[in-house]
Amino acid sequence: MRIQVNARNRGYDFEALPGEHVLYAGLRAGIDLPYECATGTCGTCKAKLLAGRVREEWREAPGKKYVKPAAGEFLMCQCVAEEPLTAEVSKFVYPLETGGSLPQKTAGTVREPRLLTHDVMAFALELEAPCDFDAGQFTLLAPQGVAGYRAYSMCNHERRTRRLDFLVKRKPDGGFSQWLFGASRDGARLESFGPLGKATFEPALGKNLLLIAGGSGIAGMRSILARAERASYFERHRGWVFFGVRKMRDAFWLAELSAHAGNVEVTVALSEEDVPPAAKSEWPRLRFERGLVHEVAKRAMAGNYQDLRAYVAGPPPAVDAAIRVLLLEAKLSTDNIRYDKYS
């Protein structure tokens, strides 16, 4: 199916496969159409229909509150072209950077699902074919019987890998997490589309790293740390990691975080309880502080914002609060802040 998307700077033509969402077809064709979550939550991928007809796949998508159907607006990540169509987006659009991995639809098998806490589970996805991705990117996942994709950041980083590691927090209304936690899923099949996301890291960056993560947002940070340490990045640069959880029972990966290079300082922020005395003795290489993660980071980072790139991930309120601190207190430019609200 032929699709044309007109942006502020130029127009793009591409082909969509039968049943393929408009956004995914454009990304697969190497066109950097606007998106953030790519799952119907944020509304960033809204477009205006100029000609043709689309079929809406998820009428209850939260991101629909940002569109005006009466004006012909629709979410590209949730709509399929039913005939050749022309659409318009209000932003500048460019080709995806050369050398990156184009998003593709593929499938894999769930391996090694395991509980890390009462409401956090880790698992691996064994892919049918090897893939590349940049540290900090995410992939869309969909099991059979659950409508729509969900976005999850990769925890690992390897080139030409057939294994992607993920972290999932259980949510009462989360279709994917309820599916994953509902029964043993080892061996289950998942469809995937990716890699996606622009909050990425490469060692050529040449700056100190500040990583602020709330809860399962630590997933993408683990990928960034893995990429940096494999390149001996912290022999030349410093790193600060701030990992926010509610209570000690919600903390995980403490052993893994304490094993990072000596030039990386890791702080665990507890928002709902004081630091247990045993925590500091059990994990001597970690710092523990009481407070919301962005507040703890603000106190600890005073005077250390020079030559810095910041990465922020987690629930939207936590990400927004951290970005405000970085913009107002640290006076970082938006070029030096990368964020992900959908980990």
Side-chain angles (χ1 to χ4, degrees):
M1 193 73 70
R2 175 193 162 276
I3 297 175
Q4 178 173 328
V5 174
N6 297 327
R8 291 182 63 184
N9 54 324
R10 55 163 292 184
Y12 293 89
D13 288 286
F14 53 93
E15 299 288 328
L17 300 174
E20 187 175 28
H21 294 169
V22 174
L23 175 65
Y24 305 159
L27 294 173
R28 184 177 54 80
I31 303 163
D32 193 11
L33 295 176
Y35 75 94
E36 281 187 20
C37 71
T39 60
T41 300
C42 67
T44 304
C45 70
K46 75 174 180 180
K48 183 176 181 179
L49 188 64
L50 301 180
R53 188 160 43 93
V54 297
R55 182 179 73 253
E56 193 173 37
E57 297 281 283
W58 185 17
R59 297 184 183 276
E60 296 78 25
K64 282 194 65 179
K65 64 185 177 184
Y66 302 109
V67 305
K68 300 175 182 177
E73 295 179 349
F74 67 99
L75 296 177
M76 291 188 288
C77 72
Q78 295 302 319
C79 289
V80 174
E82 292 196 313
E83 59 188 31
L85 64 85
T86 302
E88 179 182 75
V89 296
S90 61
K91 299 180 180 180
F92 289 85
V93 173
Y94 301 94
L96 287 168
E97 293 183 8
T98 57
S101 300
L102 288 180
Q104 300 290 334
K105 184 176 181 180
T106 184
T109 303
V110 174
R111 299 297 184 199
E112 304 170 26
R114 57 208 181 275
L115 278 172
L116 301 183
T117 72
H118 64 287
D119 64 352
V120 174
M121 183 176 290
F123 71 92
L125 184 65
E126 184 181 275
L127 298 173
E128 295 178 341
C131 76
D132 279 330
F133 64 93
D134 293 327
Q137 287 194 296
F138 64 88
T139 288
L140 307 183
L141 302 176
Q144 292 182 350
V146 178
Y149 283 105
R150 303 298 189 276
Y152 293 101
S153 296
M154 281 73 81
C155 309
N156 60 323
H157 185 269
E158 302 169 47
R159 294 298 186 191
R160 303 302 297 165
T161 183
R162 294 180 66 112
R163 176 188 173 111
L164 303 179
D165 290 332
F166 294 102
L167 190 70
V168 176
K169 181 177 176 61
R170 187 171 194 170
K171 298 181 179 179
D173 57 349
F176 186 93
S177 68
Q178 291 298 319
W179 172 86
L180 183 65
F181 280 76
S184 175
R185 299 302 182 184
D186 194 26
R189 184 178 176 82
L190 293 179
E191 289 186 357
S192 70
F193 181 80
L196 299 169
K198 302 172 184 177
T200 59
F201 163 78
E202 278 294 330
L205 173 67
K207 293 179 179 287
N208 299 322
L209 301 185
L210 169 60
L211 313 180
I212 303 175
S216 58
I218 196 67
M221 306 306 183
R222 285 288 308 279
S223 179
I224 290 172
L225 289 169
R227 178 73 179 98
E229 291 189 339
R230 193 164 61 251
S232 301
Y233 190 79
F234 296 117
E235 292 180 3
R236 306 177 301 280
H237 306 283
R238 297 186 66 184
W240 294 271
V241 181
F242 294 88
F243 177 28
V245 294
R246 295 185 299 274
K247 302 178 181 181
M248 276 301 296
R249 79 171 193 143
D250 302 309
F252 53 90
W253 281 345
L254 298 187
E256 291 83 352
L257 289 170
S258 65
H260 285 299
N263 220 15
V264 177
E265 297 180 11
V266 180
T267 301
V268 180
L270 305 179
S271 62
E272 295 183 6
E273 74 175 8
D274 291 331
V275 179
K280 295 183 179 181
S281 59
E282 186 176 0
W283 309 104
R285 294 195 60 189
L286 301 179
R287 299 169 184 261
F288 292 86
E289 298 288 345
R290 172 68 190 270
L292 296 171
V293 66
H294 65 279
E295 296 172 344
V296 172
K298 175 183 173 181
R299 293 195 299 265
M301 290 300 296
N304 289 318
Y305 292 110
Q306 296 78 23
D307 197 27
L308 187 76
R309 168 68 60 81
Y311 295 84
V312 186
V319 171
D320 291 342
I323 291 175
R324 284 196 296 272
V325 167
L326 295 171
L327 290 175
L328 299 176
E329 301 291 334
K331 295 182 172 56
L332 289 182
S333 71
T334 53
D335 290 338
N336 284 318
I337 303 174
R338 298 290 183 268
Y339 66 92
D340 177 6
K341 297 183 183 181
Y342 306 97
S343 296

